[in-house]
Amino acid sequence: MLELIRKYRFHLLTGAALLAALAFYSLSLRDREHASGFERMVIDLFAPVHNVGAGVSGFFSGVWNDYIDLVDVRAENKQLRESVKTLNSRLIENREAIHENMRLRQLLDLKAIQRAPSVAAMVIGEDSSPWFKTLVINRGAVDGLQEGMPVVAANGVVGQVIKVAAGSSRVLLLTDTASGIASVVQRSRARGVVKGKGGGLCFLEFSLREEDVKVGDMVVTSGIGGIFPKGLVIGEVTMVRKGEYGIFQTISVRPAVNMARLEEVLVLLQKAP
């Protein structure tokens, strides 16, 4: 019998402990309002374990919640970036539309004061080769354009149509060396011919040395030749030099129109007689 107890002592002790626990638990059921001494001992014994478990659980719960919040923030930031891009694009489009409306309004004002009929056109190409300075516009023969017609912008003279296709035309700029426009100095009425010199500048040629021309004078079309109407702005005198010899003076003119930034023009539907 003693050998049997020794052999199964672990199982017997475990069973006894379970019976004791069950007994204490049964006794405690009679008074649920007050914890028994055994219950208090068990609570005190396992309280640190519970605290550690609760802390670990709270830590991982917080990490998980932070991860979820971070994912939400990233998604929200992505949406905000897309919204900013869309708003910036719309803002740029609106600004471009405002500038275009301003330019077209200036062209309409110019068209209103011109006696000759005219057609508005957009610049769709350019040729800045060493030999020619030309632009391509989106109007042609179907719009009534012909070679020789003058081309102007809101600020002044641009050039002259030299080639016409069905739906497009080529314009020779006044800054081209092949261009020549009969002109007059607005203040003193000194006459000459504005010739292109390249580099965005022009010369007023064939102006006599005794003519009164000063830096800052405005040069306009004289109307001689019948190509350009009288009084269109060409540019401003930037340099006057009178040599010791010769009958003419050297006069540089800066065009009123910036050819490099030209986007819309007005073609006057008139030809030279």
Side-chain angles (χ1 to χ4, degrees), residues 90-107:
R90 291 178 180 175
L91 181 61
I92 293 173
E93 292 176 358
N94 290 338
R95 287 177 178 175
E96 186 66 19
I98 291 173
H99 290 304
E100 183 177 4
N101 288 338
M102 291 177 61
R103 296 193 304 269
L104 293 177
R105 188 178 297 112
Q106 291 175 341
L107 279 181

Side-chain angles (χ1 to χ4, degrees), residues 126 135 173 257-263:
E126 60 181 350
L135 295 177
L173 300 181
V257 178
N258 188 338
M259 306 301 173
R261 298 181 180 180
L262 199 58
E263 297 183 56

Side-chain angles (χ1 to χ4, degrees), residues 143-170:
D143 304 292
L145 271 63
Q146 298 180 29
E147 294 180 2
M149 289 182 172
V151 181
V152 298
N155 296 332
V157 174
V158 172
Q160 189 175 358
V161 176
I162 56 172
K163 291 183 180 181
V164 179
S168 63
S169 300
R170 186 172 293 275

Side-chain angles (χ1 to χ4, degrees), residues 203-263:
F203 279 130
L204 178 62
E205 297 185 349
F206 310 117
S207 178
L208 298 175
R209 292 182 71 249
E210 61 267 19
E211 294 282 9
D212 180 16
V213 182
K214 298 179 180 179
V215 173
D217 282 343
M218 294 301 299
V219 180
V220 299
T221 56
S222 65
I224 297 176
I227 298 177
F228 286 88
K230 184 177 181 180
L232 295 177
V233 176
I234 294 179
E236 178 183 353
V237 175
T238 57
M239 185 272 292
V240 178
R241 185 173 66 245
K242 298 182 179 182
E244 296 181 1
Y245 307 99
I247 62 174
F248 301 114
Q249 55 186 324
T250 303
I251 302 171
S252 293
V253 178
R254 180 175 61 242
V257 178
N258 188 338
M259 306 301 173
R261 298 181 180 180
L262 199 58
E263 297 183 56

